[in-house]
Coordinates of all heavy atoms in Angstrom, one line a residue:
M1 N 0.8 -1.2 0.0 CA 0.0 0.0 0.0 C 0.9 1.3 0.0 O 1.9 1.3 0.7 CB -0.9 0.0 1.2 CG -1.7 1.2 1.4 SD -3.1 0.9 2.4 CE -4.0 2.4 2.1
I2 N 0.5 2.2 -0.7 CA 1.2 3.5 -0.8 C 0.6 4.5 0.2 O -0.6 4.8 0.1 CB 1.2 4.1 -2.2 CG1 1.9 3.2 -3.2 CG2 1.8 5.5 -2.2 CD1 1.9 3.6 -4.6
K3 N 1.4 5.0 1.1 CA 1.0 6.0 2.0 C 1.6 7.3 1.5 O 2.6 7.4 0.8 CB 1.6 5.7 3.4 CG 1.2 4.4 4.0 CD -0.1 4.6 4.7 CE -0.5 3.3 5.4 NZ -1.7 3.4 6.1
N4 N 0.9 8.4 1.9 CA 1.4 9.7 1.5 C 1.3 10.8 2.5 O 0.6 10.6 3.5 CB 0.7 10.1 0.2 CG -0.7 10.5 0.4 OD1 -1.0 11.6 0.9 ND2 -1.6 9.7 -0.1
R5 N 2.0 11.9 2.3 CA 2.0 13.0 3.3 C 1.5 14.3 2.5 O 1.9 15.4 2.9 CB 3.4 13.2 3.8 CG 4.0 12.0 4.5 CD 5.4 12.1 4.9 NE 5.7 13.3 5.7 CZ 6.9 13.8 5.8 NH1 7.9 13.3 5.2 NH2 7.1 14.9 6.6
I6 N 0.6 14.1 1.6 CA 0.2 15.2 0.8 C -0.5 16.2 1.7 O -0.3 17.4 1.6 CB -0.8 14.8 -0.3 CG1 -0.1 13.9 -1.3 CG2 -1.4 16.0 -1.1 CD1 -1.0 13.2 -2.4
K7 N -1.4 15.8 2.5 CA -2.2 16.7 3.4 C -1.2 17.5 4.3 O -1.4 18.7 4.5 CB -3.2 15.9 4.2 CG -4.2 16.8 5.0 CD -5.2 15.9 5.6 CE -6.3 16.8 6.2 NZ -7.4 16.0 6.8
E8 N -0.2 16.8 4.8 CA 0.8 17.5 5.7 C 1.5 18.6 4.9 O 1.7 19.7 5.4 CB 1.8 16.4 6.2 CG 2.9 16.9 7.0 CD 3.8 15.8 7.4 OE1 3.4 14.6 7.5 OE2 5.0 16.1 7.6
Y9 N 1.9 18.3 3.7 CA 2.6 19.3 2.9 C 1.7 20.4 2.4 O 2.2 21.6 2.4 CB 3.3 18.6 1.6 CG 4.7 18.1 2.0 CD1 4.9 16.8 2.5 CD2 5.8 18.9 1.8 CE1 6.1 16.4 2.8 CE2 7.1 18.5 2.2 CZ 7.2 17.2 2.6 OH 8.5 16.8 3.0
R10 N 0.5 20.1 2.1 CA -0.5 21.2 1.8 C -0.6 22.1 2.9 O -0.6 23.3 2.7 CB -1.8 20.6 1.4 CG -1.9 20.1 0.0 CD -3.4 19.8 -0.5 NE -4.2 19.1 0.5 CZ -5.1 19.6 1.3 NH1 -5.2 20.9 1.4 NH2 -5.8 18.9 2.2
A11 N -0.7 21.6 4.1 CA -0.9 22.4 5.3 C 0.4 23.3 5.5 O 0.2 24.5 5.8 CB -1.1 21.6 6.6
K12 N 1.5 22.7 5.3 CA 2.8 23.4 5.5 C 2.9 24.6 4.5 O 3.4 25.7 4.8 CB 3.9 22.5 5.2 CG 5.3 23.0 5.4 CD 6.3 21.9 5.2 CE 7.7 22.4 5.3 NZ 8.7 21.3 5.0
Y13 N 2.3 24.5 3.3 CA 2.3 25.5 2.3 C 1.0 26.3 2.2 O 0.8 27.1 1.3 CB 2.6 24.9 0.9 CG 4.1 24.5 0.7 CD1 4.6 23.3 1.3 CD2 5.0 25.3 0.0 CE1 5.9 23.0 1.1 CE2 6.3 25.0 -0.1 CZ 6.7 23.8 0.4 OH 8.1 23.4 0.3
D14 N 0.1 26.1 3.2 CA -1.2 26.7 3.2 C -1.9 26.6 1.9 O -2.3 27.6 1.3 CB -1.0 28.2 3.7 CG -2.3 28.8 4.1 OD1 -3.2 28.1 4.6 OD2 -2.5 30.1 3.8
M15 N -2.0 25.4 1.4 CA -2.6 25.2 0.1 C -3.8 24.3 0.2 O -3.9 23.3 1.0 CB -1.5 24.4 -0.7 CG -1.8 24.2 -2.2 SD -0.5 23.3 -3.0 CE 0.8 24.5 -3.0
K16 N -4.9 24.7 -0.6 CA -6.1 23.9 -0.6 C -5.9 22.7 -1.6 O -5.1 22.8 -2.5 CB -7.3 24.7 -1.0 CG -7.6 25.9 -0.1 CD -8.7 26.7 -0.6 CE -9.0 27.8 0.3 NZ -10.1 28.7 -0.2
Q17 N -6.8 21.7 -1.5 CA -6.8 20.6 -2.4 C -6.9 21.1 -3.8 O -6.2 20.7 -4.8 CB -7.9 19.6 -2.1 CG -7.6 18.8 -0.9 CD -8.8 17.8 -0.7 OE1 -9.9 17.9 -1.2 NE2 -8.5 16.8 0.1
E18 N -7.8 22.1 -4.0 CA -8.1 22.7 -5.3 C -6.8 23.3 -5.9 O -6.5 23.2 -7.1 CB -9.2 23.7 -5.2 CG -9.7 24.2 -6.6 CD -10.9 25.1 -6.5 OE1 -11.7 25.0 -5.5 OE2 -11.0 26.0 -7.3
D19 N -6.1 24.0 -5.1 CA -4.8 24.7 -5.5 C -3.8 23.7 -6.0 O -3.3 23.9 -7.1 CB -4.2 25.5 -4.4 CG -5.1 26.6 -3.8 OD1 -5.9 27.1 -4.6 OD2 -5.0 26.9 -2.6
L20 N -3.6 22.6 -5.3 CA -2.7 21.6 -5.7 C -3.2 20.9 -7.0 O -2.4 20.6 -7.9 CB -2.5 20.6 -4.6 CG -1.5 19.4 -4.9 CD1 -0.1 19.9 -5.3 CD2 -1.4 18.5 -3.7
A21 N -4.4 20.6 -7.0 CA -5.0 20.0 -8.2 C -4.7 20.8 -9.5 O -4.3 20.2 -10.5 CB -6.5 19.8 -8.0
K22 N -4.9 22.1 -9.4 CA -4.7 22.9 -10.6 C -3.2 22.9 -11.0 O -2.9 22.9 -12.2 CB -5.1 24.4 -10.3 CG -6.6 24.6 -10.3 CD -7.0 26.0 -10.0 CE -8.5 26.2 -10.0 NZ -8.9 27.6 -9.7
L23 N -2.3 22.9 -10.0 CA -0.9 22.9 -10.3 C -0.4 21.6 -10.9 O 0.5 21.7 -11.7 CB -0.1 23.2 -9.0 CG -0.2 24.6 -8.4 CD1 0.5 24.6 -7.0 CD2 0.5 25.6 -9.3
V24 N -1.1 20.5 -10.6 CA -0.6 19.2 -11.2 C -1.5 18.7 -12.3 O -1.3 17.6 -12.9 CB -0.4 18.2 -10.1 CG1 0.7 18.6 -9.1 CG2 -1.7 17.8 -9.4
G25 N -2.6 19.4 -12.6 CA -3.5 19.1 -13.7 C -4.5 18.0 -13.5 O -4.7 17.2 -14.4
V26 N -5.0 17.9 -12.2 CA -6.0 16.9 -11.9 C -7.2 17.6 -11.3 O -7.2 18.8 -11.0 CB -5.5 15.7 -11.0 CG1 -4.4 15.0 -11.7 CG2 -5.0 16.3 -9.7
R27 N -8.3 16.8 -11.0 CA -9.4 17.4 -10.3 C -9.2 17.4 -8.8 O -8.4 16.6 -8.3 CB -10.7 16.6 -10.6 CG -11.1 16.6 -12.0 CD -12.3 15.8 -12.3 NE -12.7 14.9 -11.2 CZ -13.7 14.1 -11.2 NH1 -14.5 14.0 -12.3 NH2 -14.0 13.4 -10.2
R28 N -9.9 18.2 -8.1 CA -9.7 18.3 -6.6 C -10.0 17.0 -6.0 O -9.4 16.5 -5.0 CB -10.6 19.4 -6.1 CG -10.5 19.6 -4.5 CD -11.7 20.2 -3.9 NE -12.9 19.4 -4.1 CZ -13.3 18.3 -3.5 NH1 -12.5 17.8 -2.6 NH2 -14.4 17.7 -3.8
E29 N -11.0 16.3 -6.5 CA -11.4 15.0 -6.0 C -10.3 14.0 -6.0 O -10.2 13.1 -5.2 CB -12.7 14.4 -6.7 CG -13.9 15.2 -6.5 CD -14.1 16.4 -7.4 OE1 -13.2 16.7 -8.3 OE2 -15.1 17.1 -7.3
T30 N -9.5 14.1 -7.1 CA -8.3 13.2 -7.2 C -7.4 13.4 -6.0 O -6.9 12.4 -5.4 CB -7.6 13.4 -8.5 OG1 -8.5 13.1 -9.6 CG2 -6.4 12.5 -8.7
I31 N -7.1 14.6 -5.7 CA -6.2 14.9 -4.5 C -6.8 14.4 -3.3 O -6.1 13.8 -2.4 CB -5.9 16.4 -4.4 CG1 -5.3 17.0 -5.7 CG2 -5.1 16.7 -3.2 CD1 -3.9 16.4 -6.0
G32 N -8.1 14.6 -3.1 CA -8.8 14.0 -1.9 C -8.7 12.5 -1.8 O -8.4 12.0 -0.7
N33 N -8.9 11.9 -2.9 CA -8.8 10.4 -2.9 C -7.4 9.9 -2.7 O -7.2 8.9 -2.0 CB -9.3 9.8 -4.3 CG -10.8 9.9 -4.4 OD1 -11.5 9.9 -3.4 ND2 -11.4 10.0 -5.6
L34 N -6.4 10.6 -3.2 CA -5.0 10.3 -2.9 C -4.7 10.4 -1.4 O -4.1 9.5 -0.8 CB -4.1 11.2 -3.6 CG -3.9 11.0 -5.1 CD1 -3.1 12.2 -5.7 CD2 -3.1 9.7 -5.4
E35 N -5.2 11.5 -0.8 CA -5.0 11.7 0.6 C -5.6 10.7 1.5 O -5.1 10.3 2.5 CB -5.5 13.1 1.0 CG -4.6 14.2 0.5 CD -5.1 15.6 0.9 OE1 -6.2 15.7 1.6 OE2 -4.4 16.6 0.6
K36 N -6.8 10.2 1.1 CA -7.5 9.1 1.8 C -7.0 7.7 1.5 O -7.4 6.8 2.1 CB -9.0 9.2 1.5 CG -9.7 10.5 2.0 CD -11.1 10.5 1.5 CE -11.7 11.8 1.8 NZ -13.0 12.0 1.2
G37 N -6.1 7.6 0.6 CA -5.5 6.3 0.3 C -6.4 5.5 -0.6 O -6.3 4.3 -0.8
K38 N -7.4 6.1 -1.3 CA -8.3 5.4 -2.1 C -7.8 5.2 -3.5 O -8.4 4.5 -4.4 CB -9.7 6.2 -2.2 CG -10.4 6.2 -0.9 CD -11.8 6.9 -1.1 CE -12.6 6.9 0.2 NZ -13.8 7.6 0.0
Y39 N -6.7 5.9 -3.8 CA -6.2 6.0 -5.2 C -4.7 6.0 -5.1 O -4.1 6.8 -4.3 CB -6.8 7.2 -5.9 CG -6.2 7.6 -7.2 CD1 -6.6 6.8 -8.3 CD2 -5.4 8.6 -7.4 CE1 -6.2 7.2 -9.6 CE2 -4.9 9.0 -8.7 CZ -5.3 8.2 -9.7 OH -4.8 8.6 -11.0
N40 N -4.0 5.3 -6.0 CA -2.5 5.3 -6.1 C -2.2 6.2 -7.3 O -2.8 6.0 -8.3 CB -1.9 4.0 -6.2 CG -2.0 3.2 -4.9 OD1 -2.0 3.7 -3.9 ND2 -2.1 1.9 -5.1
P41 N -1.3 7.1 -7.1 CA -0.9 8.0 -8.2 C -0.1 7.3 -9.3 O 0.6 6.4 -9.0 CB -0.1 9.1 -7.5 CG 0.6 8.4 -6.4 CD -0.5 7.4 -5.9
S42 N -0.2 7.8 -10.5 CA 0.7 7.4 -11.5 C 2.1 8.0 -11.2 O 2.2 8.9 -10.3 CB 0.3 7.9 -12.9 OG 0.4 9.4 -12.9
L43 N 3.1 7.4 -11.8 CA 4.5 8.0 -11.5 C 4.6 9.4 -11.9 O 5.2 10.2 -11.2 CB 5.5 7.1 -12.3 CG 7.0 7.5 -12.1 CD1 7.3 7.5 -10.6 CD2 7.9 6.6 -12.8
V44 N 3.9 9.8 -13.0 CA 4.0 11.2 -13.4 C 3.3 12.1 -12.4 O 3.8 13.2 -12.1 CB 3.3 11.3 -14.8 CG1 3.2 12.8 -15.2 CG2 4.1 10.6 -15.9
L45 N 2.1 11.7 -11.9 CA 1.4 12.5 -10.9 C 2.2 12.6 -9.6 O 2.3 13.7 -9.1 CB 0.0 11.9 -10.7 CG -0.8 12.7 -9.7 CD1 -1.0 14.1 -10.0 CD2 -2.2 12.0 -9.5
A46 N 2.8 11.5 -9.2 CA 3.6 11.5 -8.0 C 4.8 12.5 -8.2 O 5.1 13.3 -7.3 CB 4.1 10.1 -7.6
W47 N 5.4 12.4 -9.3 CA 6.6 13.3 -9.7 C 6.1 14.8 -9.6 O 6.8 15.6 -9.1 CB 7.1 12.9 -11.0 CG 8.2 13.8 -11.5 CD1 8.1 15.0 -12.2 CD2 9.6 13.6 -11.4 NE1 9.3 15.5 -12.5 CE2 10.2 14.7 -12.0 CE3 10.3 12.6 -10.8 CZ2 11.6 14.8 -12.0 CZ3 11.7 12.7 -10.8 CH2 12.3 13.8 -11.4
N48 N 5.0 15.1 -10.2 CA 4.5 16.4 -10.3 C 4.1 17.0 -8.9 O 4.4 18.1 -8.6 CB 3.3 16.5 -11.3 CG 3.7 16.4 -12.7 OD1 4.9 16.7 -13.1 ND2 2.8 16.0 -13.5
I49 N 3.5 16.1 -8.1 CA 3.2 16.6 -6.7 C 4.5 16.9 -5.9 O 4.6 17.9 -5.3 CB 2.3 15.5 -6.0 CG1 0.9 15.5 -6.7 CG2 2.2 15.8 -4.5 CD1 0.1 14.3 -6.2
A50 N 5.4 16.0 -6.0 CA 6.7 16.2 -5.3 C 7.4 17.5 -5.8 O 7.9 18.2 -5.0 CB 7.6 15.0 -5.5
K51 N 7.3 17.7 -7.1 CA 7.9 18.9 -7.7 C 7.3 20.2 -7.2 O 8.0 21.2 -6.9 CB 7.8 18.9 -9.2 CG 8.7 19.8 -10.0 CD 8.9 19.4 -11.4 CE 7.7 19.5 -12.2 NZ 7.9 19.4 -13.7
V52 N 6.0 20.2 -7.0 CA 5.3 21.4 -6.4 C 5.9 21.7 -5.1 O 6.1 22.9 -4.8 CB 3.7 21.1 -6.3 CG1 3.1 22.2 -5.4 CG2 3.1 21.1 -7.7
F53 N 6.1 20.7 -4.3 CA 6.7 21.0 -2.9 C 8.2 21.0 -2.8 O 8.8 21.1 -1.8 CB 6.1 19.9 -1.9 CG 4.6 20.0 -1.8 CD1 3.8 18.9 -2.2 CD2 3.9 21.1 -1.4 CE1 2.4 18.9 -2.1 CE2 2.6 21.2 -1.3 CZ 1.8 20.1 -1.6
N54 N 8.8 20.8 -4.0 CA 10.3 20.9 -4.1 C 11.0 19.8 -3.2 O 11.9 20.1 -2.5 CB 10.8 22.3 -3.8 CG 12.2 22.5 -4.3 OD1 12.6 22.0 -5.3 ND2 12.9 23.4 -3.6
V55 N 10.4 18.6 -3.2 CA 11.0 17.5 -2.5 C 11.0 16.3 -3.4 O 10.5 16.3 -4.5 CB 10.2 17.1 -1.2 CG1 10.2 18.3 -0.2 CG2 8.7 16.8 -1.6
S56 N 11.7 15.2 -2.9 CA 11.7 14.0 -3.7 C 10.4 13.2 -3.6 O 9.6 13.5 -2.6 CB 12.9 13.1 -3.2 OG 12.6 12.6 -1.9
I57 N 10.1 12.3 -4.5 CA 8.9 11.5 -4.4 C 8.9 10.8 -3.1 O 7.8 10.7 -2.5 CB 8.8 10.6 -5.6 CG1 8.6 11.4 -6.9 CG2 7.7 9.5 -5.4 CD1 8.6 10.5 -8.2
E58 N 10.0 10.2 -2.7 CA 10.1 9.4 -1.5 C 9.7 10.2 -0.2 O 9.3 9.7 0.8 CB 11.5 8.8 -1.3 CG 11.8 7.8 -2.4 CD 12.5 8.4 -3.6 OE1 12.5 9.7 -3.7 OE2 12.9 7.7 -4.5
E59 N 9.9 11.5 -0.3 CA 9.5 12.4 0.8 C 8.0 12.5 1.1 O 7.6 12.6 2.2 CB 10.1 13.8 0.6 CG 10.1 14.7 1.7 CD 11.1 14.4 2.8 OE1 12.1 13.8 2.5 OE2 10.8 14.7 4.0
I60 N 7.3 12.3 0.0 CA 5.8 12.4 0.1 C 5.2 11.0 0.1 O 4.2 10.7 0.8 CB 5.2 13.2 -1.1 CG1 5.7 14.7 -0.9 CG2 3.7 13.2 -1.0 CD1 5.2 15.7 -1.9
F61 N 5.7 10.1 -0.8 CA 5.1 8.8 -1.0 C 6.0 7.7 -0.4 O 7.2 7.7 -0.7 CB 4.8 8.5 -2.4 CG 3.8 9.5 -3.0 CD1 4.2 10.6 -3.7 CD2 2.4 9.3 -2.9 CE1 3.3 11.5 -4.3 CE2 1.5 10.1 -3.4 CZ 2.0 11.3 -4.1
T62 N 5.4 6.8 0.4 CA 6.1 5.6 0.9 C 5.3 4.4 0.6 O 4.1 4.4 0.6 CB 6.5 5.7 2.4 OG1 5.3 5.9 3.1 CG2 7.4 6.9 2.7
V63 N 6.0 3.2 0.5 CA 5.3 2.0 0.2 C 5.4 1.2 1.5 O 6.5 1.0 2.1 CB 6.0 1.2 -0.9 CG1 5.3 -0.2 -1.1 CG2 5.9 2.0 -2.2
E64 N 4.2 0.7 2.0 CA 4.2 -0.2 3.2 C 3.5 -1.5 2.8 O 2.6 -1.5 2.1 CB 3.4 0.5 4.3 CG 4.0 1.8 4.8 CD 3.3 2.4 6.0 OE1 2.3 1.8 6.4 OE2 3.7 3.5 6.4
D65 N 4.1 -2.5 3.3 CA 3.6 -3.9 3.1 C 2.3 -4.2 3.9 O 2.1 -3.8 4.9 CB 4.7 -5.0 3.4 CG 5.8 -4.8 2.4 OD1 5.6 -4.4 1.2 OD2 6.9 -5.2 2.8

């Protein structure tokens, strides 16, 4: 299972789900589903989210067995 810290990083940058969604080219609902663990991102989406926060993909996304 892929865990993420998107919500934590959004809070750090005072960013709404909608703001992040626009920056990475997805709908707000996609960001919400990612945060809830209902959806795993494509590599491109994970890369774009990490790029917005200027961190590595591993800083936001981790794989847990």
Side-chain angles (χ1 to χ4, degrees):
M1 176 161 192
I2 295 179
K3 299 277 185 178
N4 70 72
R5 298 171 61 197
I6 297 171
K7 191 171 186 177
E8 179 184 330
Y9 272 89
R10 280 194 312 98
K12 185 177 175 181
Y13 285 80
D14 194 31
M15 187 180 290
K16 296 178 183 176
Q17 286 181 344
E18 187 176 333
D19 300 330
L20 179 57
K22 284 181 183 176
L23 289 171
V24 298
V26 298
R27 297 181 347 182
R28 184 203 55 80
E29 292 84 2
T30 301
I31 300 299
N33 287 332
L34 284 169
E35 289 181 355
K36 292 175 187 170
K38 293 182 179 179
Y39 173 75
N40 289 331
S42 68
L43 182 56
V44 172
L45 180 54
W47 177 273
N48 287 337
I49 290 171
K51 196 161 64 169
V52 166
F53 298 120
N54 200 29
V55 296
S56 67
I57 291 174
E58 295 88 352
E59 192 71 28
I60 297 184
F61 297 96
T62 56
V63 177
E64 295 185 3
D65 293 330

